[in-house]
Amino acid sequence: MIKACCFEDNAAFWGGALSCWGGSAPAVSESYFARNVGEEDAGAIHCVNGSHAQIRGNFFTANRAKYGGAIHCLQGSAPLIAENHISGNVATGNSSAISCFGQAPPQITGNYIALNMVEKDDRYAIESVANSRPVIKGNYLGENRHLKGAGKGLHANAEFSGKKDESACEELEPKTKEEILGALTAKKVIPPPAAP
């Protein structure tokens, strides 16, 4: 269990703050991830090779990676990503907030995902490629951007490396922004006070 921890200014090739491998299933909650850098994947948390992490009630901001500014899911990993505040993260390749790649089926529910940035044209906050099958329910996705301006929150069924991708997403009617922010505030999943 990883609870009420602060991960700031860390760097790695995969997973600037945490990397979860090979069937690992840590519970990560009530923690703060800021200014972590993944050189390739996952500015903050990398889930790979069947990892089933429980990522709930955390705050992610100003993390940076090529793929997955905050979280990257790879090779069959199926983390639960729930009730997190994910804002101000950056990707240089795709997926400014959460990247789903290589048959990864994460459950993404009740998150506030806004004000993230991809430093390329026409990329998105959550991207599902290479036969990933995330279930995306009741999140607020808004004000995410790419170099051409405001970007859509979700992208699936794309071409990848010249091959037709068979990704599938289920995105149900989202809650209102105020409801999700209210719930996260009540659970204290809010930004910590600014440093003096």
Side-chain angles (χ1 to χ4, degrees), residues 96-192:
S96 58
I98 302 169
S99 177
C100 308
F101 189 90
Q103 299 181 341
Q107 303 284 315
I108 302 171
T109 63
N111 301 282
Y112 174 79
I113 301 171
L115 303 172
N116 300 289
M117 175 70 183
V118 181
E119 295 180 342
K120 286 182 73 173
D121 295 344
D122 300 322
R123 305 313 298 181
Y124 305 86
I126 300 175
E127 301 200 43
S128 172
V129 298
N131 299 316
S132 292
R133 297 187 180 278
V135 175
I136 301 170
K137 299 181 180 180
N139 302 278
Y140 174 75
L141 288 91
E143 298 98 45
N144 299 291
R145 304 185 68 81
H146 53 65
L147 285 183
K148 287 187 177 178
K152 295 178 182 177
L154 175 67
H155 180 65
N157 297 320
E159 295 249 341
F160 184 79
S161 299
K163 297 179 181 179
K164 175 68 175 164
D165 182 63
E166 299 299 333
S167 296
C169 292
E170 175 187 3
E171 184 175 23
L172 302 184
E173 185 67 24
K175 297 178 183 177
T176 65
K177 178 179 182 179
E178 291 73 22
E179 285 176 329
I180 288 186
L181 285 176
L184 296 182
T185 299
K187 294 175 182 177
K188 298 185 171 32
V189 184
I190 54 175

Side-chain angles (χ1 to χ4, degrees), residues 12 25-26 28 32 62 66 76-77 87 92 95 106 153 164 166 170 184 187:
V28 184
Y32 177 65
K66 186 174 182 181
S77 291
S87 65
T92 59
S95 313
K164 175 68 175 164
E166 299 299 333
E170 175 187 3
L184 296 182
K187 294 175 182 177

Side-chain angles (χ1 to χ4, degrees), residues 14 18-24 41 45-53 72-79 101-102 104:
W14 288 322
L18 293 174
S19 192
C20 308
W21 283 73
S24 64
D41 298 339
I45 300 178
H46 189 228
C47 298
V48 65
N49 287 344
S51 170
H52 305 303
H72 186 76
C73 310
L74 176 64
Q75 294 175 353
S77 291
F101 189 90

